[in-house]
Amino acid sequence: ALNVEIKNYLRGWYEATMRALAEEEAAKEDGDIAAMHNMASSLRKQGKQAEAMIVLKRCLVLIVAMYGELHPDTAAVETQIGLVHEELGEYDKALRKFEKALHIRLVVQREMHPDTAGNYANLGNTYARK
């Protein structure tokens, strides 16, 4: 009976340790994603759209892997990619990204959320430039 108790204790300790390590790794990746998103915004402001696009695409892969397609952070990065396309004069590509981001926002955050309104504005501005 004592061996069973020891086994159960060790199993519980092991599982708790593995959960803590997984949470720590997820927090680290989340911090990396935020840093990448900030870096891409900074690169955009410096006129380095090609470099920003590389960072944003990597950021999108990580976000989708962590949170899935239907998440506000996914919509945020899709929007940023759309802005880069718009700045490069690639209006059709920008519109596709803005439409994808809007779809995510409507599903996740609904119609009345300020970020949803921002996506509508991005679409309108891009249609006006096109």
Side-chain angles (χ1 to χ4, degrees):
L2 184 59
N3 285 340
V4 171
E5 287 180 34
I6 291 172
K7 277 183 177 177
N8 288 337
Y9 172 79
L10 290 174
R11 183 178 298 121
W13 175 83
Y14 173 78
E15 290 171 356
T17 301
M18 295 309 291
R19 274 193 305 276
L21 289 172
E23 289 170 5
E24 184 179 306
E25 187 63 26
K28 179 181 174 278
E29 284 184 14
D30 203 26
D32 292 346
I33 290 169
M36 290 172 70
H37 196 245
N38 291 338
M39 181 191 320
S41 293
S42 177
L43 289 166
R44 278 188 50 235
K45 290 175 186 170
Q46 295 172 35
K48 299 177 180 179
Q49 277 71 21
E51 293 172 48
M53 185 67 80
I54 291 167
V55 173
L56 286 167
K57 286 182 177 180
R58 178 67 184 135
C59 191
L60 183 61
V61 167
L62 291 173
I63 286 174
V64 170
M66 282 185 68
Y67 304 121
E69 288 281 336
L70 296 176
H71 191 276
D73 290 350
T74 305
V77 175
E78 292 285 6
T79 298
Q80 289 294 315
I81 292 172
L83 291 169
V84 171
H85 283 304
E86 185 181 51
E87 291 161 357
L88 294 171
E90 300 169 342
Y91 299 115
D92 289 333
K93 289 180 180 180
L95 288 169
R96 284 192 295 275
K97 288 298 183 178
F98 293 149
E99 287 166 359
K100 187 171 185 178
L102 177 61
H103 168 75
I104 294 167
R105 299 252 188 236
L106 288 171
V107 170
V108 177
Q109 295 173 307
R110 305 287 185 228
E111 185 77 29
M112 299 306 292
H113 194 279
D115 291 340
T116 304
N119 270 107
Y120 279 119
N122 288 332
L123 281 166
N125 290 335
T126 304
Y127 275 115
R129 287 186 181 96
K130 184 177 172 186

